Amino acid sequence: MVAEPTIIERTDEATSPNGRVDAEPEILTGAEITCRCLEAEGVTTVFGYPGGAVIPLYDALPRSNLHHVLSRFEQWSALEADGYARATGKVGVCIATSGPGATNLVTGLANAHLDSVPVVAITGQVAQPFIGKDAFQEVDITGISLPVTKHNYLVQRPEDIAHTIKEAFYLARSGRPGPVLVDIPKNVFLAKAPFDYPKKTGRRSYQPSLIPNMRQVRLAAQMIDEAKKPLIMAGHGIILAEGQEVFRRFVERTGIPVIFTLLGLGALPESHPLAEGLMGMHGHRHVNAALEECDLLVNIGARFDDRATGRLSGFAPNAKVIHVDIDPAEIGKNVPADVPVVGDAREALKLLIPEVAHRDHADWRAWIDGQRNRMLEAALENRPTWPEPYAIIKSIREAAGGEAIITTDVGQHQMWAAQHIGVEHGERWITSGGLGTMGYGLPSAVGAKIGRPELEVWTVVGDGGFQMSLNELATAVQERLDINIAIINNGYLGMVRQWQDLFQDKNYSEVQISGPSFVKLAGAYGCTGIRIERNEEIMPAIQRARSIDGPVVLEFIIEPEANVYPMVPPGGSNSEMVHGNLWQPTEEDV
Amino acid sequence: MQNSHTLVVLVEDQPGVLNRIVSLLRRRSFNIDSITVGHSEQPGLSRITLVVNGEDAEVEQVGKQLYKLLEVVKVTDLSGEGAVYREMVLVKVAAKAQTRAEVLTIAGIYDAKVLDATPSTLMLEATGDAETITSFLNMMKPFGVREMVRTGRIAMARSGQSKSNGRIDRINSDSYAAD
């Protein structure tokens, strides 16, 4: 006979920090409540920009413990919150006013949405009597942000602020993370209400699946044990689940080689013998060859994005598919799964490890190794003749030793970095994957540096993307952030130019882009600028930048028409890679 | 296989919930034949009936995507279950003295009710499944349809409870409480 458990009913007496029982909760304004909620969520830094509808909130801010970072554009506030969240694993917070402030956040929220990054955005709204009247600086931001947020709210009463913000943070960080927007009218910020931060939240209709079904786990394990040429596709989900360590144990036990999506880089350190490198449109030759050859593909925490898969009909044509994802809607969305495993990547891996056999797969790994592009690898060994983009990326890697946070903008430099920066720690590789947001580099570096001040931070940007967000240099200077900005300057919007080069018969339409003297620009903003024109100047410049405290702008002049290779032509399958001149077909290829 | 599916979606009755659903269906390019919304037997829950045309896998995606909306409590696919489907139509038909008797006879066949009459028109109300309503309207057409409004489909499973095999499952919806 089992004894009845004693159930102790929880009483709902609120206790204040000094331990005394509060009979009466404090009466605060909506703005003060908002600040108190953020503090209660452990927020220390918010990124934002003031304006009319949030004047009450900014009035309360100096009385809070929150550090406010003044971005120079609301989009950068959102992207800083995104970069902060990726670097720290905590929820990033941004604030903007109504109307244009709120609409400027949208691209940043879409970026966080597509890459599953936990962000909470607080926007001011016009006072309630003005809503729907086309008032000054009024936009329907809950309507506008609907498709690019995990959820959003328009708060109607000051009493609703606390439980709404509690739920917003819970939604942002739980399950598949994402951005959540809370829109608060100006008069709700001003009105008073008792403040009592709820201890619990949750909705019956929101139950993220964390622990996978054991039956599916066993089916997956059996399939893994039976495979002769298995391959693991590692996605962002492993890093979001903070599952890198469990993943390493799983990989070492199964002996399965690992390929990475753009956001999965670093799920296993790239120095690990089983880490094969980037897959997809600009994936390594041997990686895409392995995809073609494998008989089992184990996708852990990736959503089969088109840039990773290439033409779906040609994707992993010989493979059965195991798909581990926390979001059931991802199963079967793009690629049918033979064995779906729905759950948190770390939980799924923990359950899988005891179920799978210890394997080596030496022959299969040797086969993959044989598919490497030897000519490129030989060129990369031979330092003085490195082509510039590789030299810059590899020198940063060498100087920082894989320990720095690397953020990137979007374009050719991003792909060169993804191929060759050698990511050791997934959460220190910060790049805009799903949305491909130009301008992301500098703001994400600002957010990351504020979140992880003890780490060296580099952002690799192109001259195009940097010109979108270079006004954020002011924020970096104001916040005294030690960030190194490597501009890979080819005088072109290089990725579009590359497409025009390869697929539009060199019709270079509107891709030539001039820019300021970046060295003088750096000086104008009060930071150091260095211009690098020759290969032998690269490493000394990088070392100098590392020794300078504060933002440093390094302008690397590269060959204007350098292309990123290999490349899968748009609409092509991953096996139809185009290689540049650093490629020698083997007998097998001919 | 391209099929017509009837999905019943129970949602929390919150402001903007219909907008969220319709916006989701539009942005993911799901084709909807009809959508109706009304109260359910449970206070605070609205019941949406969606008629979706698509491959089975696509309809499954509709269900899974709907579950990602916070307000969506349950999605059931009634196709394949015994279910009752109903629509209603209001139609104003030209009916002068010489044709009125004939219109009323046909209305009688369809159990249609006369809601209003003028010397030259009759307003009729009919309910039934989609085929019945279409057939009724075809019969009325020759007399001259002055005005017509047809609701979307509503549906209910015949069994006591909606069967589990009709449920588009949230895979592993183990309950998970917030910290």
Side-chain angles (χ1 to χ4, degrees):
Chain A
M1 173 150 170
V2 182
E4 284 288 311
T6 315
I7 296 166
I8 300 168
E9 286 289 338
R10 227 194 134 102
T11 55
D12 257 333
E13 281 171 325
T15 46
S16 68
N18 58 19
R20 132 189 100 81
V21 175
D22 277 341
E24 296 286 316
E26 272 180 282
I27 306 292
L28 300 173
T29 66
E32 289 164 341
I33 290 173
T34 304
C35 293
R36 294 282 281 271
C37 292
L38 295 176
E39 289 169 356
E41 285 296 329
V43 176
T44 52
T45 305
V46 295
F47 303 90
Y49 204 100
V54 285
I55 285 176
L57 180 60
Y58 277 79
D59 191 55
L61 212 49
R63 295 192 297 277
S64 74
N65 296 323
L66 301 164
H67 171 55
H68 179 271
V69 177
L70 180 66
S71 317
R72 265 44 174 185
F73 181 44
E74 290 91 344
Q75 188 183 136
W76 313 147
S77 308
L79 294 178
E80 281 157 5
D82 170 308
Y84 177 93
R86 294 193 209 211
T88 60
K90 296 193 279 191
V91 178
V93 179
C94 55
I95 297 174
T97 191
S98 64
T103 53
N104 281 342
L105 288 182
V106 170
T107 302
L109 296 177
N111 190 79
H113 190 55
L114 277 170
D115 287 351
S116 310
V117 179
V119 168
V120 168
I122 310 260
T123 50
Q125 180 54 278
V126 299
Q128 279 163 313
F130 291 99
I131 291 180
K133 305 292 190 325
D134 304 315
F136 176 66
Q137 294 198 326
E138 180 193 358
V139 298
D140 168 23
I141 194 59
T142 44
I144 290 172
S145 64
L146 196 64
V148 296
T149 50
K150 187 168 171 182
H151 194 63
N152 62 25
Y153 305 86
L154 173 57
V155 179
Q156 301 284 6
R157 307 180 312 155
E159 293 82 358
D160 293 336
I161 293 176
H163 70 83
T164 303
I165 292 183
K166 176 85 183 172
E167 189 172 285
F169 272 83
Y170 169 58
L171 289 179
R173 76 166 92 83
S174 62
R176 178 177 183 173
V180 179
L181 181 139
V182 182
D183 197 26
I184 305 177
K186 185 171 187 176
N187 63 314
V188 175
F189 275 133
L190 290 166
K192 289 189 169 179
F195 172 65
D196 187 11
Y197 200 61
K199 291 185 183 65
K200 290 199 160 190
T201 185
R203 297 264 280 263
R204 67 167 157 173
S205 53
Y206 177 76
Q207 291 156 3
S209 324
L210 289 186
I211 313 292
N213 185 320
M214 203 55 211
R215 197 170 56 92
Q216 296 301 102
V217 169
R218 292 208 183 90
L219 281 174
Q222 189 185 353
M223 209 174 248
I224 288 168
D225 285 349
E226 285 166 4
K228 302 216 157 36
K229 298 173 180 175
L231 199 59
I232 293 170
M233 168 177 177
H236 198 199
I238 297 170
I239 297 157
L240 289 169
E242 296 178 351
Q244 290 98 315
E245 179 52 30
V246 186
F247 182 54
R248 187 186 56 74
R249 293 202 331 255
F250 172 74
V251 169
E252 287 175 356
R253 184 170 173 88
T254 56
I256 303 177
V258 181
I259 65 172
F260 302 88
T261 67
L262 180 63
L263 294 185
L265 287 169
L268 184 72
E270 276 200 38
S271 57
H272 194 283
L274 285 164
E276 298 289 352
L278 184 71
M279 68 183 291
M281 182 170 266
H282 292 288
H284 298 286
R285 204 266 171 181
H286 63 284
V287 169
N288 284 348
L291 264 173
E292 178 87 355
E293 186 73 12
C294 67
D295 64 357
L296 174 68
L297 185 65
V298 187
N299 174 348
I300 305 175
R303 60 185 171 87
F304 288 118
D305 171 69
D306 55 90
R307 287 296 195 266
T309 62
R311 193 180 68 237
L312 283 173
S313 60
F315 177 67
N318 306 309
K320 291 210 162 129
V321 173
I322 295 171
H323 190 176
V324 182
D325 206 299
I326 197 164
D327 180 356
E330 289 303 337
I331 307 286
K333 188 183 77 178
N334 293 339
V335 172
D338 296 283
V339 178
V341 179
V342 175
D344 175 87
R346 188 174 55 179
E347 298 302 326
L349 288 164
K350 275 201 257 177
L351 293 178
L352 268 168
I353 289 173
E355 302 290 326
V356 292
H358 208 288
R359 294 285 290 277
D360 181 49
H361 293 297
D363 291 350
W364 167 227
R365 285 161 59 191
W367 183 90
I368 296 174
D369 198 50
Q371 303 297 311
R372 287 178 181 275
N373 180 353
R374 297 289 169 207
M375 191 162 169
L376 177 61
E377 294 193 351
L380 293 180
E381 291 294 305
N382 192 4
R383 180 187 302 241
T385 60
W386 276 354
E388 303 97 336
Y390 301 106
I392 298 158
I393 301 299
K394 297 214 75 132
S395 303
I396 293 172
R397 156 78 205 203
E398 231 173 72
E403 294 303 308
I405 289 180
I406 309 286
T407 88
T408 79
D409 217 277
V410 169
Q412 287 183 310
H413 66 277
Q414 178 190 27
M415 292 299 122
W416 280 315
Q419 290 171 336
H420 300 291
I421 199 78
V423 182
E424 292 295 306
H425 308 276
E427 74 286 0
R428 300 186 197 174
W429 164 249
I430 295 175
T431 193
S432 170
L435 195 65
T437 311
M438 278 180 72
Y440 183 72
L442 182 52
S444 59
V446 167
K449 183 68 186 180
I450 288 173
R452 297 295 302 273
E454 75 285 9
L455 291 177
E456 180 174 345
V457 174
W458 282 82
T459 182
V460 182
V461 299
D463 49 318
F466 184 63
Q467 287 191 68
M468 286 194 176
S469 55
L470 55 76
N471 55 351
E472 213 50 11
L473 275 175
T475 307
V477 170
Q478 182 176 340
E479 293 290 320
R480 299 165 199 266
L481 299 179
D482 190 8
I483 295 174
N484 300 314
I485 301 151
I487 307 172
I488 314 293
N489 185 354
N490 54 8
Y492 276 115
L493 299 174
M495 190 54 98
V496 176
R497 187 208 53 72
Q498 174 169 341
W499 282 49
Q500 291 174 344
D501 175 7
L502 298 177
F503 314 113
Q504 310 296 139
D505 214 10
K506 281 194 189 282
N507 180 19
Y508 287 174
S509 174
E510 295 299 324
V511 288
Q512 205 159 21
I513 184 169
S514 62
S517 154
F518 289 109
V519 173
K520 282 187 185 162
L521 182 89
Y525 274 103
C527 43
T528 312
I530 307 170
R531 185 178 161 100
I532 302 96
E533 293 181 7
R534 284 179 319 203
N535 257 11
E536 55 272 27
E537 298 167 358
I538 293 174
M539 193 52 112
I542 286 170
Q543 293 299 11
R544 198 175 137 223
R546 297 179 77 223
S547 69
I548 294 170
D549 203 23
V552 180
V553 176
L554 298 104
E555 180 188 11
F556 294 97
I557 307 299
I558 68 157
E559 155 68 37
E561 298 198 18
N563 282 346
V564 182
Y565 289 116
M567 177 177 193
V568 175
S573 114
N574 278 349
S575 59
E576 296 158 12
M577 281 170 286
V578 180
H579 299 274
N581 49 7
L582 277 172
W583 163 249
Q584 187 111 54
T586 61
E587 277 171 35
E588 227 180 290
D589 293 300
V590 176
Chain B
M1 214 176 61
Q2 198 80 14
N3 263 329
S4 175
H5 292 252
T6 304
L7 302 186
V8 172
V9 188
L10 282 179
V11 300
E12 288 177 5
D13 195 7
Q14 304 255 342
V17 61
L18 186 59
N19 184 25
R20 286 180 198 276
I21 300 225
V22 174
S23 160
L24 167 79
L25 298 169
R26 184 195 55 78
R27 72 174 180 269
R28 298 221 175 243
S29 307
F30 295 130
N31 281 321
I32 297 303
D33 283 352
S34 89
I35 178 167
T36 62
V37 193
H39 295 298
S40 73
E41 77 285 0
Q42 300 176 61
L45 289 190
S46 293
R47 180 164 168 142
I48 297 175
T49 312
L50 278 179
V51 182
V52 189
N53 244 315
E55 312 261 330
D56 290 355
E58 193 186 341
V59 176
E60 193 185 318
Q61 260 295 308
V62 174
K64 285 171 166 180
Q65 294 294 343
L66 284 170
Y67 269 128
K68 290 176 72 165
L69 299 178
L70 204 68
E71 292 88 351
V72 171
V73 175
K74 190 179 172 193
V75 183
T76 314
D77 186 351
L78 291 183
S79 331
E81 301 197 34
V84 176
Y85 303 99
R86 284 291 177 272
E87 294 180 26
M88 183 168 97
V89 65
L90 296 182
V91 60
K92 200 180 284 171
V93 191
K96 294 210 169 132
Q98 56 271 44
T99 54
R100 188 169 300 137
E102 207 183 332
V103 170
L104 287 172
T105 307
I106 296 170
I109 297 171
Y110 289 92
D111 269 339
K113 270 195 276 182
V114 179
L115 299 182
D116 190 31
T118 70
S120 58
T121 60
L122 285 171
M123 192 202 290
L124 304 172
E125 172 203 310
T127 60
D129 59 21
E131 292 72 26
T132 308
I133 299 296
T134 303
S135 152
F136 171 68
L137 287 172
N138 283 339
M139 293 301 285
M140 287 297 146
K141 228 178 255 172
F143 300 104
V145 170
R146 296 279 178 267
E147 206 180 332
M148 187 272 274
V149 58
R150 191 171 171 170
T151 65
R153 183 187 297 178
I154 56 171
M156 193 174 282
R158 283 186 189 276
S159 51
Q161 290 285 311
S162 209
K163 284 183 213 151
S164 59
N165 63 3
R167 167 104 197 245
I168 293 178
D169 260 316
R170 207 186 275 273
I171 301 175
N172 278 317
S173 61
D174 294 337
S175 65
Y176 175 69
D179 47 0

